[in-house]
Amino acid sequence: PPRRAPAEGGALGMLRSLDVAGSARKVLAVPAMRVLYTLGAVRFMGGFAVLAFIPEFYRRTFPASAAAFSAANALIISLGGASSILASGYLTDKWARSEQRALVWVPAVGSVVGAMAMLGVVFASSFEVSIACLFVSYLAAESWLGNFHSTMQLILPPALVGSASSLFLSVGLLVGSVAPLLLGMMDKHLTNLGGGGAHLPYLLAAAVTGSYLTSASLYLFLGRYLKEIPGTSSSAAVLMPEVKSADDPGEEEDATAASGGLDTPEVACADDEDPLKKPRIFVADNCTDSMKKSS
């Protein structure tokens, strides 16, 4: 008798049914997501540099305060990081009632403050001032993470958020790990040249502040995609570039306003087999007529 093909069930069948490459293409097709991924990868580089080299910095600069640093660093990472995420979420919710771009402005400001505080960490003359600046840096700079994921959820349809998060963590963590590797190579090279370790504060200042300020700039750049939804009383918004019609530049905007703003970015046309083919921040060209009719 002919052999039966084994049934594709369980975890193996589920894995084979996943279209990882297709999901990645849909995510990366969105310009705002490419900016967001770049932002996250650059920010991971600064964070990994701090985690890897701040203990070595304090060992070299303040050797008599090693025990105090160990206790303080544990509290700063846990308390400062958690407080930063909670505070940024609260401030964003408050500010977003009047300005939707608060979603990207809050972490941008936090990143700038964190970068300035990091300069105080590496160039302070006393351990007490340096460790206080480290706490301020964590408290301000870690505000990026919660708003990062909130921005991702705003950009993409729900069916793609999980894939986008997994892709970001895989690529972002890999790229972020490059920073400690490069810093270690540079530190070793400069030490062999007879620097005596005095170069480490400058290496940390360049790597960490460069990462934080770059991520702040990219957050501000993301603000150009934020557009208030007309016709709603809430602060809801979508990340969408302006879409112009070839016949009438104002027709698409009129259709968006007439639809109340909420349904237009996620409109699914009858001839669309997969409504996820068009990311939320885009309006499908072949949906123009249906939007006009609905208005």
Side-chain angles (χ1 to χ4, degrees), residues 9 38 55 229 282:
T38 303
I229 296 181
F282 293 115

Side-chain angles (χ1 to χ4, degrees), residues 39-240:
L39 183 160
V42 170
R43 181 57 182 78
F44 266 144
M45 294 178 74
F48 285 5
V50 171
L51 290 174
F53 280 92
I54 278 294
E56 178 64 16
F57 163 77
Y58 278 97
R59 187 189 69 81
R60 296 183 189 180
T61 309
F62 305 106
S65 303
F69 167 75
S70 298
N73 190 48
L75 287 174
I76 288 172
I77 292 176
S78 57
L79 183 61
S83 300
S84 178
I85 294 174
L86 291 174
S88 65
Y90 176 80
L91 290 174
T92 300
D93 288 343
K94 286 286 188 181
W95 195 0
R97 294 175 183 175
S98 58
E99 175 53 72
Q100 181 62 28
R101 285 171 292 183
L103 185 64
V104 293
W105 285 355
V106 168
V109 172
S111 297
V112 173
V113 174
M116 299 301 102
M118 186 55 61
L119 295 178
V121 171
V122 297
F123 295 123
S125 58
S126 69
F127 171 77
E128 291 77 14
V129 174
S130 177
I131 207 72
C133 288
L134 183 62
F135 176 74
V136 173
S137 182
Y138 265 93
L139 187 62
E142 293 305 312
S143 61
W144 79 278
L145 188 57
N147 287 37
F148 178 94
H149 288 285
S150 296
T151 304
M152 183 185 297
Q153 292 172 9
L154 191 61
I155 296 172
L156 297 173
L160 288 179
V161 172
S163 299
S165 298
S166 300
L167 179 63
F168 165 68
L169 289 175
S170 301
V171 177
L173 292 174
L174 182 63
V175 174
S177 63
V178 173
L181 176 63
L182 293 178
L183 280 177
M185 294 172 61
M186 295 176 67
D187 178 52
K188 181 179 180 180
H189 177 70
L190 293 174
T191 300
N192 292 337
L193 292 178
H199 54 269
L200 186 55
Y202 298 96
L203 289 178
L204 272 174
V208 179
T209 59
S211 167
Y212 289 5
L213 293 177
T214 300
S215 64
S217 301
L218 291 175
Y219 261 124
L220 292 175
F221 181 76
L222 278 174
R224 70 188 288 266
Y225 290 100
L226 282 171
K227 181 179 180 181
E228 295 287 345
I229 296 181
T232 61
S233 57
S234 66
S235 60
V238 291
L239 291 177
M240 53 182 297

Side-chain angles (χ1 to χ4, degrees), residues 252 255-256 258-259 263-264 266-272 283-295:
E252 291 293 342
T256 301
S259 64
D263 296 330
T264 300
E266 299 182 12
V267 62
C269 301
D271 56 344
D272 277 351
V283 178
D285 294 335
N286 58 352
C287 295
T288 304
D289 293 336
S290 61
M291 285 193 300
K292 291 176 181 177
K293 294 176 183 178
S294 65
S295 64

